[in-house]
Amino acid sequence: MTESKYIYDFSEGNADMKGLLGGKGANLAQMSKIGLPVPPGFTLTTEACLAYWERGAGLLDDLWAGVEEAVARLEKAADKTFGRGENPLLLSVRSGAPVSMPGMMDTILNLGLNDETVEALAANSGEPRFAYDSYRRFIQMFSDVVLGVSSTHFENEIVDAKRALSVRQDYEIDAATWKKLIKRFKEIVKRETRSDFPVDPWVQLRQAIEAVFKSWNTPRAKTYRRINKISDALGTAVNVMTMVFGNLGEDCGTGVCFTRNPSTGEKGLYGEFLVNAQGEDVVAGIRTPQPIAELGSTMPTLYRELLAIASMLERHYRDMQDIEFTIERNRLFILQTRNGKRTARSAVLVAVDMVEEGLIDRTTAVRRVTPDQVEKLLHKQVDPSVPVDVLATGLPASPGAAVGAIVFDPDEAERRGDSGEAVILVRHETTPDDIHGLFAAQGVLTSHGGMTSHAAVVARGLGKPCVSGCEALEIDADRGTLSCGGRTFAKGDILTIDGSRGLVIAGNVPLMEPAMTDEFRKLLTWADAEAAVRVWANADTPADAARARDFGARGIGLCRTEHMFMAPDRLPVMKEMIIASTKEERVTALDKLQVMQEEDYRGIFRAMEGLPVTVRLLDPPLHEFLPKEAEIEGALKKLRDEGRQKAPETLALERTLAKAKALKESNPMLGFRGCRLGIIYPEIYEMQIRAIFLSCLHLAAEGVEVVPHIMMPLVGVQEEMKRLKAMTDRIAEELFSEAGRSVAYETGTMIEVPRAALIADELAEYAQFFSFGTNDLTQTTFGYSRDDAENKFLAQYVAMRVLPEPPFRSVDRNGVGRLMRIAFEDGRRVRPDLGIGICGEHGGDPDSIAFCHKLGLNYVSCSPYRVPVARISAAHAALGLIE
Amino acid sequence: MTESKYIYDFSEGNADMKGLLGGKGANLAQMSKIGLPVPPGFTLTTEACLAYWERGAGLLDDLWAGVEEAVARLEKAADKTFGRGENPLLLSVRSGAPVSMPGMMDTILNLGLNDETVEALAANSGEPRFAYDSYRRFIQMFSDVVLGVSSTHFENEIVDAKRALSVRQDYEIDAATWKKLIKRFKEIVKRETRSDFPVDPWVQLRQAIEAVFKSWNTPRAKTYRRINKISDALGTAVNVMTMVFGNLGEDCGTGVCFTRNPSTGEKGLYGEFLVNAQGEDVVAGIRTPQPIAELGSTMPTLYRELLAIASMLERHYRDMQDIEFTIERNRLFILQTRNGKRTARSAVLVAVDMVEEGLIDRTTAVRRVTPDQVEKLLHKQVDPSVPVDVLATGLPASPGAAVGAIVFDPDEAERRGDSGEAVILVRHETTPDDIHGLFAAQGVLTSHGGMTSHAAVVARGLGKPCVSGCEALEIDADRGTLSCGGRTFAKGDILTIDGSRGLVIAGNVPLMEPAMTDEFRKLLTWADAEAAVRVWANADTPADAARARDFGARGIGLCRTEHMFMAPDRLPVMKEMIIASTKEERVTALDKLQVMQEEDYRGIFRAMEGLPVTVRLLDPPLHEFLPKEAEIEGALKKLRDEGRQKAPETLALERTLAKAKALKESNPMLGFRGCRLGIIYPEIYEMQIRAIFLSCLHLAAEGVEVVPHIMMPLVGVQEEMKRLKAMTDRIAEELFSEAGRSVAYETGTMIEVPRAALIADELAEYAQFFSFGTNDLTQTTFGYSRDDAENKFLAQYVAMRVLPEPPFRSVDRNGVGRLMRIAFEDGRRVRPDLGIGICGEHGGDPDSIAFCHKLGLNYVSCSPYRVPVARISAAHAALGLIE
């Protein structure tokens, strides 16, 4: 029977052979291939693994001659001998599947040691303690991973030994004690497995290889593959590599370095190293590593070699590398290289620099920066240039930073938060009963609970910073104090939390608003070139519009006009309009408002010159512009108590009160608002439409290019759209003919109640564009009032996993998304050039943008600060990286 | 060229030739055919009409010889001569299309009169006044209908003549004056048409026939056909009939009779007649007609003949007939017979009697009673056995009757109405500003405006009785009085209005609640045999359930449990449950409620023995069970003012207030309610489910057959349904195993938010039935809060024709209906035996039932009183009479 080739020396493979050699094996082969000093080794292929699962242990018999030959080649290369002799060859054995996955066998180091070879190692290295320590580590690892003997047994022995020696650290244990412990370890193995610990290195090797094969089908690995849709037919490879040691003397060392700064992205080797040490020593925190640059003075030749290798690796992999190296007796070995993890800031700079260095193309640069990273760049952050007084560190449970007064009671948090004060809610842990407090606070800090604790989940749901599980805090809610490391803070004291890093900081730390760097801008421009769906912004003021444009918005998808009416100089006129008892009175007030609106629109159209501006006509119920009933009643009582029953103020207030009562609604969300206002009181919309066209005509006369889109809110009936379109066209005709000039405009509608989506074909007969108002559409589709749901039952629904996440975060594809698809398809069927966008908050959410891309929308419109996230998301959606 | 046969004598046709002879022509032919004494005549076919429109006036030339021959046959039959001689033949000319439609040419009577023949008629009849009166009527009619000269010209002359004679009525004008007026009339025709009035009877006949042909394509007729989808290719026939006269002496007469009582349905000739009179005399109201029975003593032979004819006609047409007859010199002529219009009560009795008489089959009986009629039988009505004091008559603008105190001001109506008082809003006319008053009143009465006035439209929209345009009323709102015929009523006086008949009645008239007669029950049972969709009822109490069953409900589609909690003995326990601060406290209260609920359910299940009872678990937000905040605050203030700050009542109230505040929602409709309660506080639903199963087990032990369906409200997420189904099954298993007995049950869900419909496939995995809650589904699909919309903008939307009717009346097919179709199809795909019904108010609306039938629902569930309407509607839907 012809056998496949199951064994490849590192020198035989290359990076393209991931399927056969696994990721790690292909990578080691590639490094060998390009001449890097990788410790020699070989790989048993994934096919060998699959054959093992098909044929069982017999497979190992069949290929064993090949393993022996491969080990012989390693012996030759290292001038060492495996399992015998003065200079024994030690090996590491590692799993390495084509895709990285958890649940696979851990690394076994120092394989090949036994009672004989350990003595040779001791003699040869001149370091008996090192040799015995290596040996006992090997026994521990092998027993745990291959033989299934729990590490605890061995750890307990070590603890006892340290107690007997009155020392605290492992490295204080002497060679003799290790030797005794090794004996004890073997006894434990015998007791637990009813077999001797294998002393024959060939048996060790065979069992280690078989353990790797077996680990392919552990329940954990199988579950992971099922969830992540990874084929069971991939198999895992086994990498067998010659051990090298960084702890054989002062001419040895070990280190980790990045080819660029993973924090800032700055070019140049970045990392640290330790002389005469093993990787584990860095982890154990015994000695402080030195910055990598100092290797230049300590071992200048090797440093230059490392620089050259780093540069070669980066050019080879065309990405920033995270490199592990070991120096054994003045010889540099590269143990591993992989693409380096990096901060958002670094990701952007590295990607852009690499394009400019010709290493990668623009598309690749865009691929390398995720929406999450862009989002981090746009979060409020603690200013790193300011020294901070870190009180304690907890879990980074929900990103962003917040500053506020310490409050222990959720009711108080709500009261103070509602009155506009910034508070941080501090609790042992939170429960569903605290939600109103979380809702009102700027951020949350808990002393208990992990990343999935109630506080963490709810805070992420609310988009608020949270540091959880900060056990160092002592909270005494009754006394109203928070203590930490001997310092005590009282209720009301100011605290800063950094939910991105899990820091609790004393006092008011200045927070950085997001900012755009030149590289960031460049990258986003490249992203735009990849994207199919455009990014517009929601902006209500000229300043917002300018900011949106600066962030790269290609239009305004939602300009709400009601905020304009809330300005102190407008509100009285708006009130005058609302309490008017005749159409004439109403029109008088509207005339005043028209002049103001015209000015508002002029500013926005000017800021967006040449780009579309979608103005939504008045949407909220009119009572939102009147004071609350209780407020009016209070003022009235005061006037009456002063005996001013007949004063004009009193009479005016009485009218306001009557109107407020008449306009009161039990469910304002579903009430007399949106285009219903414009249909019943056409003079209001007529005023707004006139103001829009007059401002456009004014600017057009100045030569400014304006692209007005007029959008009707809350349309749900064809007749509404038909009449409002006719109203718009009539006013346009009148004003254009008066002005002797016209501007191109579009009239369209929000799709924000389910019925609008369901009758999209009818609406498209009159509407030139649709804009999905997914906030309201989500509310009406689910029957969730956002105001009520988010701090009443929705956070709990998510915590209880009734819903995977609040539907106000990402578009609910099965429900709301299905309506969107219906509207899209029916609308486009009737009007093939129908413009379709989204202007709900989902417009800034990567997952929702991927959905909008898939649907084929023309644009997503989001808040100005989210425009960059949306731009990168649109590109990633087009590149198929999110869907 | 071979001509079609364009002319049929009455004796040639039959009832099946409606397409060719028109409805009227076929009917006259049929009567002739069965030997009834119909005045001889002939019909020009609809094909002649179509040929006329194709070929123009030439068609008349071609067929004229045929007309002359036909007239000759009439001359012979009557022994009279057309347009000449001592005994001139006079004709009537009428249009008659295959389907009855407005806009067609009116009747022309007495055709054939001119200056010569009128003298012969005068001599021959011995009644010159009759002859000249007939002549002038002919001129007026002909001029108006054929020549297009407005009647006003002639009426003005008559008014002048009466003034000159100092008389008030037309019949007081003597022969000489009519003769003068005839001369004047001809001058008017000459002036207006620049032609002489045609004196040649053949010309008259030709022009009259042509006028009928032309009237087929008047704009009004064309519009009517377009709207009602009637083909333009039908054409109209022309009926030419010999005139007979009932006013030639005491051996003459005229009358109208029904073969059964059109009001009660009682068998036996019913009608009235006048001796020596024309039909018009009855209309003019000069003399009071005599009951038809008296004809038996006046003209016994003729009466017997009439009885025989009536009986023959009824047997022939197999329906109650409305017969017009004339007696000319002791000879009986039947001028017309048609199916008689009848009241709802009569319709039921006639239909059932006819089945029992073997005249029609059951299906035909069911076809003959419309949902509208059944609805009338079920409306509150003025008790006809009670003498009433009718003040005035207006338009029957919105059906039903109401009693209440007179109120002139809408604000006052709202105030008094809201406080529970029954009021009738009385206005000159209403405007959109009055809507809150209309909303709060029991009924509306206006002195101005027609059937489509604001008051009428809005009242119909609100389902309230309305009498509009009652001009006899003098309303003085300032003084607060209402006068009519010299009587004056003050604000607050009690009035009754009958909106079905347009009556305004003084005082409090007893109203009849709907009742079931034996015939009605019988008819509905026959209806059930036709129907595909079953009728269930919404009932919350054992009494409701019993009533529903009595009305023929085959199950309970919605048993709301929240009303049970509102009972005075339960509310305190419910409050206790709500303000519980721990789960333990809550469970204690729930245990008490469980005992009560068990009893409630026992009653309902017992009443519905053998039929399914669908119990919906708790739905409304919890705050609905607590007093209003202001109320609690008031009570608290009182306690504090009494110095009882620490009293237990005070503390309890404080807790209640805190809870009420915590539960307060800005949009309760979209808030923390429905199954959201059951998910977050599972103990509430667990209690209800336990109570249901315990009551069922109890009854089952008694041998009562129970069919429980447990329904979850407001489900919108698969996980909700999954968990609640599991909860139900778990409790069932526990209780059944404890009891050692089990009952079959189903678990299902309301479909009342759009998302539920959109993920119906996911829900059907766990739900065994769906029930469309179209009230809420309409609210969320449109984004209309019913509470806010109906009295704020919705009535105005309907008045402005933005919407054809409020979507809470009939299912909105394009929006809500589309969601229903999606849910139906997706649900049945996953679970082919999924039971699907509707339990919103639409379940009792005929149009919506037709839609449900079309969709294929298993049942509609409506309020007990509407069950009969639903049963007949389900049958009519199956018979294709409504769709």
Side-chain angles (χ1 to χ4, degrees), chain A residues 662 664 666-667 669-670 676 720 723 755 758 762 781 783 785 788 792 797 800 812 814 818 826, chain B residues 662 664 666-667 669-670 676 720 723 755 758 762 781 783 785 788 792 797 800 812 814 818 826:
Chain A
K664 195 170 171 177
S666 46
N667 294 289
M669 165 73 208
L670 307 176
R676 299 162 196 174
E720 291 170 335
R723 292 182 190 203
R755 195 172 192 274
L758 294 163
E762 295 178 26
T781 301
S785 162
D788 301 315
K792 289 231 163 61
Y797 257 34
M800 294 168 76
D812 154 51
N814 294 357
R818 184 168 182 184
D826 288 3
Chain B
K664 195 171 172 180
S666 46
N667 294 288
M669 163 76 207
L670 306 177
R676 299 160 197 175
E720 291 170 333
R723 293 182 188 203
R755 194 171 193 273
L758 295 163
E762 296 178 25
T781 302
S785 161
D788 302 316
K792 289 228 161 63
Y797 256 34
M800 293 167 79
D812 154 51
N814 294 356
R818 185 169 182 184
D826 288 2

Side-chain angles (χ1 to χ4, degrees), chain B residues 105-119:
Chain B
M105 197 195 81
D106 285 336
T107 303
I108 292 173
L109 298 176
N110 304 332
L111 187 140
L113 283 176
N114 58 20
D115 292 352
E116 275 172 52
T117 53
V118 73
E119 297 303 337

Side-chain angles (χ1 to χ4, degrees), chain A residues 231-303:
Chain A
S231 166
D232 284 337
L234 292 182
T236 182
V238 186
N239 298 298
V240 179
M241 187 160 79
T242 306
M243 289 290 301
V244 291
F245 297 95
N247 53 350
L248 295 179
E250 291 302 310
D251 55 353
C252 300
T254 192
V256 174
C257 63
F258 292 84
T259 54
R260 309 193 182 213
N261 188 318
S263 188
T264 63
E266 222 181 328
K267 216 180 156 176
L269 213 55
Y270 177 93
E272 45 195 24
F273 76 103
L274 271 174
V275 169
N276 193 13
Q278 274 193 310
E280 293 167 346
D281 298 333
V282 183
V283 180
I286 308 159
R287 290 150 52 194
T288 307
Q290 295 169 275
I292 197 78
E294 290 183 20
L295 191 64
S297 39
T298 321
M299 302 178 175
T301 320
L302 285 174
Y303 183 61

Side-chain angles (χ1 to χ4, degrees), chain B residues 315-328:
Chain B
R315 277 198 312 280
H316 189 77
Y317 287 105
R318 296 167 187 274
D319 200 358
M320 185 247 273
Q321 295 297 297
D322 169 358
I323 302 166
E324 286 176 30
F325 64 90
T326 284
I327 299 165
E328 187 184 78

